[in-house]
Amino acid sequence: MNENTIFDKIIRREIPADIVFEDDICLAFRDIQPQAPIHILVIPKRVIAGVQYATHDDMDLLGHLLIAAKQIAEEQGISADGYRLAINAGDHGGQTVEHLHIHLLGGRPMQWPPG
Ligand code: DGP
């Protein structure tokens, strides 16, 4: 398990991030390359390299991340208009950081299909 991704360094406060939410299980911070007016990453503190590596043992954790993302959307004032949650998995999914993360995107209308 790689615990030295950029996100682990953010969890350990070794590099700065604009943190918007934290609890015992997860951390949420603004994406450094925002693709929307609101672009926040929600990550577990426990390392899972990606959703493709999740197991049934991670069910509670994955649920926790989704509920956290939904609460953050409410706090950020984008819930009424709507928003997108996205998880990129592997090369074809566009995943670049090997630490599971949910993208919370909002503040503008999203398009479909994604690129
Ligand atoms: P993905 O492509 O799904 O693996 O998304 C990784 C995201 O992480 C990407 O949108 C950019 C963001 N990111 C990469 N490095 C940093 C960093 O050092 N700080 C922050 N806040 N975000 C980062």
Side-chain angles (χ1 to χ4, degrees), residues 15-26:
I15 62 168
D18 186 353
I19 293 169
V20 299
F21 177 83
E22 179 172 23
D23 64 17
D24 290 346
I25 293 168
C26 70

Side-chain angles (χ1 to χ4, degrees), residues 58-73:
D58 301 315
M59 280 171 48
D60 286 351
L61 174 62
L62 294 176
H64 187 96
L65 295 177
L66 278 177
I67 297 299
K70 164 228 133 108
Q71 287 177 347
I72 295 163

